[in-house]
Amino acid sequence: MTTATYPFTAVVGMADMRLALLLNAVSPAVGGVLVRGEKGTAKSTAVRALATLLPPVEVVPGCRFSCDPATPDPHCPDGPHEPGTGAARSARMVELPVGASEDRLVGALDIERALSDGVKAFEPGLLADAHRGVLYVDEVNLLHDHLIDLLLDAAAMGASYVEREGVSVRHAARFLLVGTMNPEEGELRPQLLDRFGLTVEVTASRDTEERVEVVRRRLAYDADPAGFAARWAEDEGSLRERIAAARALLPDVVLGDRALRQIAAVCAAFEVDGMRADIVTARTATALAAWAGRTDVRTEDVRQAALLSLPHRRRRAPFDAPGLDEDKLDEVLRQFEDEEPEPPEPDQGPGSEEGDADGPDGPDDGPDGPEGGPGGGLPHDSDGAQVPPSAPEPSVPGPREGEPEAADGPETPQEAGAGDGAGAGGGGEKAAVGAAEPFRTRRLDVPGLGEGAAGRRSRARTAHGRTTGARRPRSTLSSLHLTATVRAAAPHQHARGRSGPGLLVRRDDLREAVREGREGNLVLFVVDASGSMAARKRMGAIKGAVLSLLLDAYQRRDKVGLITFRGADAELALPPTSSVDAAAARLERLPTGGRTPLAAGLLKAREVLRVERLRDPSRRPLLVVVTDGRATEARREGSARRDGAATPVARAGRAARLLAGDGIASVVVDCESGPVRLGLAGALAQELRGTPVTLDELRADSVTALVREVRNVSTTSTARRAA
């Protein structure tokens, strides 16, 4: 027995999310929805409930690709179909699992039958199932890169292509793309982010009565799903009828010149890239007017459309959260107040904003009704739905009035001692310093060849990339190496009785291609936050360098972690995560001061990497230690420290050798500055068997200039020898 779906109208609150989903139901051309928010906020529940509200679709009987009988796809693998009468069925909602394979998404060809029998035996994938329906991706930010690329291609072209060594299949794949994600687990690639028409931020309500109602309804549904759905059936039906009415009205909605100029002005003011934002905003504003039962687009429609379509498209600095300045939006729209007002609208039907409040349907108070009970629609007033404000940026305190800023350069013993403090608690803590401007860094990678998750950092065997060889398939054949397969089958043709031009191929002859590409790594940052690093300009430069490395990790699809050490011990400031934004926020708030327990930082890193190796053994780690190499610790009671092996420097060296013995690839970013350098960070890199780099060498432009200089010297030497 199938469990009844939780009713859409029973979802409490979340007005923005429900409105965005319903607008896509009214006009699929809007382009889908991305729902961002913390866990447990009914994101998946609302999306799954939407499918039950979509109007049925007419399909060609027996077609596995859901062709429209009025305009069948001429390239359909099950075709050709003659235009005619079809059969109605419910719109599908297809879920794409995060761990799905490429063949499951786009479909699979039977390579053996294609080679031996010449038959295009094709098994449709999820893109074919989602055609003319909804494709739902939960945790879309965790989707592998190669699947994202396939989604981008299908969303852009409205079709899916499957190519296997000269055998190709094409079919239509137009779907409503809906994704949900928790930003704490990592951000989404900008290319895919732009493919979502609308985006909304959801957070759990802090209102006690609303939270009580959420729990009450969920418990009632769990106790009797069918009975709960039946109690909301009338409201579901009313909402379904309103969607159908808005769809029917949509072609009659007029997007006037004034509204178009408003949309263009808003998109230009927020400096969005490209023209997709203008088009999506226009479509959304038109859908909003149809949803309200009107045939003209008003200023409030443009405002609401901008709040839904622009936050994820505005030009922003790295690690900024999506958002839109509503005051700026209102200021832009006010420029059009003096223009000729729009003509008054004709009589409105039921369900419109300004219709008779005492009409047959009563006031439109949204799915939850005026008192939290069921209703037939969503609230839609002239102000639009509220968008949760983005998280405030952490404040960066500067020097107090009259207080000189700490200078950068070599530290005197008095300065170092003041930062270190004498107590075990690491006195002398200084406030957080803002990071310098990030820059493009050189690529730091893990030596050798891995087999981890697809990414853009270290060399690895992957499903995509350049072909380096062939091997027998370990499971289902997904990438045929044609030359190796023919070589394997050729010696057996006479024994198999081949008499014609065809090649007799058996399963044992098949060879799959071995490809080499790039993988994502676990980049674990170990940052020295002690007093020796606390000069304001110096710490700002160091934070800027780490921020640059974090940005590089985001672009290369790495997981990141952050360990800081200062005072008496080391702290795991951020457990390994895909959310580079979270690491940047922790770094920005990082205080400094106290002694330098370098050994504690390295040992903490070793323990974190040991646990992560058990959780994700295929993801190789890269340890990035940011320090000047000094090691000082607070004295413990009763310890004379006469034994040289017990000194902080010796303990740090011993911890570094343990990491080297574990085979951990490492990079030491040498933060020492000034004319007098002790070279301690370089010695630490030797103990780790890692690579030492200075802050200047970390910049990609510095490396490029160095390579150019070496090439120039080499060219000059060659010319001199030739002369």
Side-chain angles (χ1 to χ4, degrees):
M1 181 179 178
T2 304
T3 303
T5 304
Y6 192 92
F8 188 88
T9 50
V11 176
V12 179
M14 307 299 172
D16 283 352
M17 176 177 66
R18 293 179 297 158
L19 178 60
L21 292 171
L22 289 173
L23 291 177
N24 276 272
V26 170
S27 175
V30 167
V33 186
L34 174 65
V35 184
R36 296 165 46 94
E38 57 196 25
K39 53 187 175 293
T41 49
K43 300 188 297 293
S44 301
T45 299
V47 173
R48 293 188 177 98
L50 176 69
T52 63
L53 301 175
L54 298 178
V57 294
E58 293 282 334
V59 298
V60 173
C63 178
R64 298 175 297 167
F65 300 87
S66 303
C67 282
D68 187 346
T71 56
D73 180 13
H75 302 284
C76 178
D78 286 354
H81 305 301
E82 294 295 332
T85 305
R89 66 159 175 80
S90 300
R92 291 174 179 165
M93 194 199 71
V94 178
E95 294 194 40
L96 173 60
V98 171
S101 65
E102 179 180 335
D103 287 344
R104 184 70 187 98
L105 178 62
V106 301
L109 285 168
D110 191 329
I111 304 296
E112 185 176 0
R113 289 189 63 190
L115 287 175
S116 59
D117 303 334
V119 177
K120 292 184 180 180
F122 180 71
E123 184 67 27
L126 296 177
L127 290 180
D129 294 340
H131 179 48
R132 304 177 66 200
V134 179
L135 181 62
Y136 171 49
V137 189
D138 193 14
E139 304 293 352
V140 64
N141 51 325
L142 302 182
L143 204 61
H144 290 300
D145 274 5
H146 67 284
L147 297 182
I148 289 179
D149 293 335
L150 293 171
L151 277 180
L152 288 173
D153 291 341
M157 298 183 293
S160 175
Y161 292 85
V162 184
E163 302 286 346
R164 290 292 187 274
E165 267 73 23
V167 182
S168 64
V169 172
R170 175 203 177 280
H171 65 83
R174 291 182 295 275
F175 46 82
L176 174 62
L177 182 60
V178 180
T180 56
M181 60 174 284
N182 184 350
E184 294 178 357
E185 297 172 342
E187 281 296 341
L188 200 59
R189 277 176 54 182
Q191 296 93 328
L192 183 57
L193 189 63
D194 189 53
R195 289 294 176 184
F196 288 98
L198 310 179
T199 183
V200 291
E201 297 273 348
V202 295
T203 56
S205 173
R206 298 297 181 258
D207 181 74
T208 303
E209 293 304 320
E210 192 167 296
R211 294 175 74 95
V212 168
E213 185 63 23
V214 170
V215 175
R216 182 182 291 119
R217 294 186 187 182
R218 186 66 207 189
L219 294 178
Y221 171 77
D222 292 340
D224 183 10
F228 184 83
R231 289 195 294 274
W232 290 85
E234 182 178 349
D235 303 289
E236 292 282 287
S238 299
L239 190 55
R240 195 176 292 112
E241 290 175 3
R242 185 175 177 186
I243 292 172
R247 275 195 173 192
L249 183 62
L250 187 65
D252 298 328
V253 177
V254 177
L255 183 66
D257 186 65
R258 178 173 181 262
L260 276 173
R261 291 202 306 274
Q262 287 177 323
I263 292 170
V266 167
C267 292
F270 284 100
E271 299 182 346
V272 295
D273 294 326
M275 294 299 298
R276 182 176 283 117
D278 302 62
I279 296 171
V280 171
T281 305
R283 289 172 175 169
T284 306
T286 304
L288 280 163
W291 178 249
R294 290 187 269 100
T295 57
D296 61 303
V297 176
R298 300 178 177 178
T299 298
E300 57 262 30
D301 298 326
V302 174
R303 184 183 190 278
Q304 180 67 75
L307 290 173
L308 294 173
S309 63
L310 297 187
H312 60 302
R313 290 189 170 93
R314 69 176 179 84
R315 192 187 303 275
R316 58 193 179 97
F319 309 121
D320 282 352
L324 208 64
D325 186 344
E326 295 190 40
D327 292 336
K328 182 178 179 180
L329 174 60
D330 292 333
E331 181 182 347
V332 175
L333 292 176
R334 274 196 295 270
Q335 299 173 6
F336 298 87
E337 288 181 351
D338 297 334
E339 295 192 10
E340 182 180 351
E342 298 179 1
E345 62 185 73
D347 292 339
Q348 308 260 331
S352 65
E353 286 186 297
E354 300 180 5
D356 185 2
D358 299 325
D361 292 327
D364 182 13
D365 287 303
D368 296 323
E371 297 179 359
L378 286 172
H380 184 83
D381 55 29
S382 60
D383 293 333
Q386 296 296 317
V387 176
S390 57
E393 297 182 0
S395 59
V396 182
R400 298 172 182 170
E401 187 176 5
E403 177 185 346
E405 185 175 358
D408 191 18
E411 297 169 339
T412 64
Q414 290 81 5
E415 290 173 340
D420 285 347
E429 177 177 322
K430 297 184 179 181
V433 177
E437 190 70 21
F439 52 84
R440 190 166 65 90
T441 67
R442 57 181 284 190
R443 188 178 69 201
L444 308 174
D445 53 14
V446 179
L449 191 65
E451 294 185 354
R456 299 180 180 179
R457 183 171 297 279
S458 306
R459 293 173 54 231
R461 293 188 182 92
T462 60
H464 299 82
R466 62 185 182 89
T467 302
T468 58
R471 66 186 178 191
R472 292 180 181 272
R474 297 179 178 177
S475 56
T476 304
L477 179 65
S478 59
S479 178
L480 179 73
H481 195 294
L482 185 58
T483 305
T485 299
V486 171
R487 258 200 318 264
H492 308 291
Q493 297 305 296
H494 179 72
R496 293 173 183 173
R498 171 186 165 187
S499 57
L503 185 69
L504 298 180
V505 180
R506 295 180 180 174
R507 186 173 296 275
D508 291 342
D509 302 327
L510 297 178
R511 298 293 184 271
E512 68 178 2
V514 177
R515 292 191 170 97
E516 182 178 312
R518 295 281 174 179
E519 67 177 357
N521 298 110
L522 166 59
V523 182
L524 182 61
F525 293 92
V526 181
V527 180
D528 185 350
S530 64
S532 63
M533 306 276 284
R536 180 170 295 277
K537 290 184 180 179
R538 186 177 180 188
M539 196 62 201
I542 292 168
K543 284 189 176 183
V546 178
L547 193 66
S548 304
L549 290 169
L550 285 171
L551 179 60
D552 181 69
Y554 165 71
Q555 294 169 341
R556 299 190 186 280
R557 309 295 287 174
D558 294 319
K559 289 180 67 176
V560 296
L562 178 63
I563 292 174
T564 62
F565 59 93
R566 54 177 290 275
D569 205 353
E571 176 190 3
L572 179 60
L574 181 72
T577 176
S578 297
S579 178
V580 179
D581 290 350
R586 301 290 175 88
L587 177 71
E588 191 72 21
R589 296 192 296 266
L590 178 66
T592 58
R595 294 189 178 272
T596 314
L598 178 57
L602 297 176
L603 292 175
K604 173 68 76 172
R606 186 174 186 239
E607 176 61 21
V608 170
L609 293 177
R610 183 189 67 81
V611 174
E612 287 301 310
R613 194 180 299 117
L614 298 175
R615 292 177 178 172
D616 191 358
S618 63
R619 188 180 290 268
R620 297 189 295 164
L622 175 64
L623 182 67
V624 179
V625 184
V626 183
T627 182
D628 58 6
R630 300 184 184 185
T632 60
E633 295 179 7
R635 293 180 179 274
R636 299 177 184 175
E637 294 183 6
S639 60
R641 302 262 177 97
R642 293 178 182 151
D643 186 1
T647 63
V649 174
R651 279 197 298 277
R654 189 161 52 198
R657 288 190 292 273
L658 289 174
L659 283 165
D662 293 339
I664 305 299
S666 59
V667 174
V668 178
V669 180
D670 187 356
C671 301
E672 197 172 23
S673 60
V676 179
R677 297 175 180 263
L678 302 179
L680 298 176
L684 176 64
Q686 290 183 354
E687 297 282 10
L688 286 168
R689 299 178 196 167
T691 304
V693 294
T694 64
L695 290 176
D696 290 336
E697 293 171 344
L698 198 59
R699 293 178 176 269
D701 50 4
S702 300
V703 178
T704 304
L706 178 61
V707 171
R708 191 181 298 116
E709 181 181 347
V710 171
R711 286 179 177 173
N712 291 338
V713 171
S714 176
T715 303
T716 304
S717 301
T718 303
R720 288 175 179 174
R721 285 197 301 268

